[in-house]
Structures are given as C-alpha cells and as structure tokens.
Amino acid sequence: MANDLPTLVLGIETTCDETAAAVVERGGDGSGRILSNIVRSQIAEHAPFGGVVPEIAARAHVDLLDGIVAGAMKEAGIGFDRLAGVAAAAGPGLIGGVIVGLTTAKAIALVTGRPLIAVNHLEAHALTPRLTDALAFPYCLFLASGGHTQIVAVRGVGDYVRLGTTVDDAIGEAFDKVAKMLGLPYPGGPQVERAASRGDATRFRFPRPMLGRADANFSLSGLKTAVRNEASRMTPLQPRDIDDLCASFQAAVLESMADRLSVGLRLFAEQFGAPTALVAAGGVAANQALRAKLEDVAAEAGTPLVMPPPALCTDNGAMIAWAGAERLALGLVDALATPPRARWRLDEDAVTPPQFANTRASR
Ligand code: KG4
Ligand code: ZN
C-alpha cells in the first residue's frame, strides 16, 4: 500500500542510555523533515559506575520517557490525533529499556488507534541518510557505535545484507575499555580521541587486527589486550604515556578500519554494483580522525561519502520516527503483540554468505 500524502510519525528510542523521542514528517515525494528531536543522555546516571548499568538505564527510561514524548509533541506543535503512526525501537538493545519504549508506543497506538511500527534500531541507523541527504539505494553503511560494528549493504527498506561485523568487541566498546584501563573518565571514546590528538602515534607499534584478510570482519580485543599489556608494563603512567598510548591505539584502529572498509566496498561492488555512497553512522563516527580516514577510504574507492551530522549519528528519536515513516509508507506495520527483542539481526531474513557463516551473530 503506497501512501503519497505527507505523514507525521512519533519515534521513541530507549535501547541503551539515551531516552529520546521525535516527530518526523515524510513527504509524499519521500523527503524528510524533523519537527522535533529530544534526546536526554543518561551519562550522569551511569558515570559513577564507569559504564551503562542496565537496571539503572531501564529505571531512568521509565522516569524520563513520558516527559520527553510530551516535549517532542509540544515542540512539533501537534496533538496525538495528527500522527499517522507511532514507532519505537523494539530492539536490539538492553531489554529493560526496550520494554519501556515499546510499551509506551503500544499504549499511544492503542489509545489513538494509529498503527504501531516496531523498528529495528540498526535499521534506523541504516536509513538515516535518506532523512538527512535523501540518499538513493543501494549504499554501503559503516555502523560504528558502542554496541555495533558492521558493514551493511543497504539495498532497500527491509533489504539489508551484512558484509562484515566484529567477531569480538565493537569499536566504541574498545575505545571505552582502553579509556577505562588508562584511568580516563566515562564515556571514554571522546577522551581517548582528545588524548590521542596530543600524543605520538608512532611510539607504540600495536597490531593492526585482520589486516589483509579477504573477508570484511573486524576484531578489536587483541589490540585492546596489547594496549593493556603495554600500559601495565609501564605503570605508573605519566600523562605523556597516556597520550601516546591513545594515539598509537587510535592509529591502529583506524588503519584496521580503513582496510576492512576497503574490502567491504569491494565485496559490495562485486555483489551489488557501485554503491551510491559510503555512509558513516554510530557514536564513533563523531571521531574527527576517523572521519578524516573515511574521506581517504571513500576517495580511494571512488565513492561519495555521506556523514549525517553527529547528533543524528548517535542514538536519537528522529531516526526511529523516520524508519517508522519509511515502513509505514510501504504498509509495513506491526501488531500490538510484537515482542521486544534483546537481539535482532538486521539481515535476519537474508541468506548469510558462506564466508561469514561462522562469525558471531547479532552484534
Ligand atoms: O551510537 P552511540 O551514541 O551509542 C551506542 O553505542 O549505541 O555510541 C556511543 C559510543 C561509545 O562507545 C563512545 O565512547 C563512542 O561511541 N564515541 C567515540 C567518540 N564519541 C563517542 N569513540 C571514539 N571517538 C569519539 N570521539
Ligand atoms: Zn545506536
């Protein structure tokens, strides 16, 4: 069922440590417009523990979400009766938080009589460049966050093929763990980047994981261990040591990433032809050194690079609302009985290419 009229969709995101809601309009021509986009980070709640505590996150979502939904509706200047649909991230993520967001969306859908759209959080990241840049399919997505590191061929709404994934830690997770072991505060990614900008990237020669491999997978735990070993060898660390360790770690991550993405882009071209663009998403895409490296990778592959603004790369409600609007336009709505899911592979219905069949699933 195609829908050519402009539609307004409310989107709710609660899969990790951001409580977020937004209203997005999708025009009959497929264009997107953000009417409101409220994100409340829970960093302050989790910082004393050095990482996200699932139970604290779920409770914070319960406390915050009603006010944030009301705020998003108010900022958009509309009542619930103007909505064409209600979308929530139904996974993958921390299950307590997912339950809070999905249940809230179901309640609004039930009361307003509007359809529910149960959005895969990864699909929302994947479709964001269509909201920000009206990007045409097919494109190559590089998703790098605290929970996910994937290269995905985005061929259409609901049509995704995972070309590469991490076999252990996600990139953001590796940044966060390195920060923690060096005594830098949470969340560690931005801290490591700051220290790295002052440091000497050639002082330590850390391994470049997976370099030269024929598949497009990532591995980061060996590199993380190498940093830990070097750091404990040098204890007590001077500020200069921390800066140099961060710079050397970041350089190794970026070199490995560039190699993995080059392979991913090659696999993409072999299987699906030229992509319209290489797209970066996820919190790690806020890293300036990484963004610069992506420019090189894209230029070398002769592919345009699309990077949505950092606020839409990290978790937010607008991406959920937009994915909901794209699905709604295709008549893809969900029953109120739809369950929340801690794990949910983006390409679940796709056939896994044989070379990836043994890698760990669903990160
Ligand atoms: O996408 P996101 O906001 O949340 C999810 O994980 O879903 O990503 C957060 C991750 C954290 O691991 C954080 O340390 C990392 O992104 N991150 C960075 C930078 N900014 C955020 N990593 C490296 N450099 C940065 N500048
Ligand atoms: Zn995310």
Side-chain angles (χ1 to χ4, degrees), residues 335-358:
L336 288 181
T338 301
R341 303 175 65 170
R343 297 197 158 249
W344 185 359
R345 270 186 66 151
L346 193 50
D347 60 346
E348 188 160 79
D349 302 326
V351 178
T352 306
Q355 70 266 38
F356 307 122
N358 292 325

Side-chain angles (χ1 to χ4, degrees), residues 29-277:
D29 58 355
S31 61
R33 194 161 69 91
I34 298 174
L35 275 66
S36 63
N37 188 24
I38 300 183
V39 181
R40 164 63 160 78
S41 164
Q42 299 174 7
I43 285 177
E45 282 90 339
H46 300 286
F49 305 94
V52 178
V53 182
E55 182 60 26
I56 291 176
R59 284 168 186 268
H61 289 307
V62 170
D63 290 344
L64 295 165
L65 186 56
D66 284 358
I68 285 175
V69 167
M73 295 298 292
K74 187 163 178 236
E75 207 173 298
I78 60 162
F80 286 110
D81 59 329
R82 291 277 311 281
L83 294 174
V86 185
L94 300 173
I95 195 67
V98 177
I99 290 170
V100 174
L102 184 58
T103 307
T104 302
K106 286 176 179 177
I108 297 170
L110 187 65
V111 169
T112 58
R114 299 299 190 270
L116 170 77
I117 307 109
V119 170
N120 180 315
H121 176 94
L122 302 175
E123 173 171 49
H125 278 302
L127 296 177
T128 298
R130 294 173 53 73
L131 166 64
T132 57
D133 294 81
L135 189 62
F137 299 121
Y139 51 88
C140 186
L141 174 76
F142 175 48
L143 175 60
S145 72
H148 308 279
T149 300
Q150 305 190 356
I151 303 173
V152 179
V154 181
R155 309 200 307 157
V157 175
D159 186 357
Y160 313 101
V161 179
R162 196 169 75 181
L163 298 171
T165 186
T166 179
V167 298
D168 40 57
D169 292 347
I171 292 193
E173 190 180 358
F175 270 86
D176 293 340
K177 286 177 176 172
V178 162
K180 203 169 182 178
M181 71 177 78
L182 299 179
L184 299 173
Y186 163 87
Q191 303 284 337
V192 171
E193 179 179 19
R194 202 164 309 137
S197 70
R198 297 184 296 253
D200 173 6
T202 63
R203 175 159 164 211
F204 305 102
R205 182 70 196 169
F206 291 131
R208 271 56 178 160
M210 313 295 258
L211 211 65
R213 278 185 43 149
D215 65 56
N217 289 331
F218 294 77
S219 169
L220 291 142
S221 77
L223 170 59
K224 176 192 69 194
T225 305
V227 177
R228 175 175 288 124
N229 292 344
E230 195 63 47
S232 54
R233 198 182 59 75
M234 293 194 305
T235 307
L237 296 172
Q238 303 305 313
R240 179 67 207 267
D241 298 327
I242 293 175
D243 292 350
D244 293 347
L245 284 165
C246 287
S248 303
F249 161 75
Q250 184 172 279
V253 170
L254 296 189
E255 197 176 322
S256 173
M257 176 200 78
D259 177 66
R260 309 291 68 218
L261 280 175
S262 300
V263 173
L265 284 167
R266 200 177 322 131
L267 293 174
F268 189 113
E270 281 166 17
Q271 294 177 40
F272 312 115
T276 54

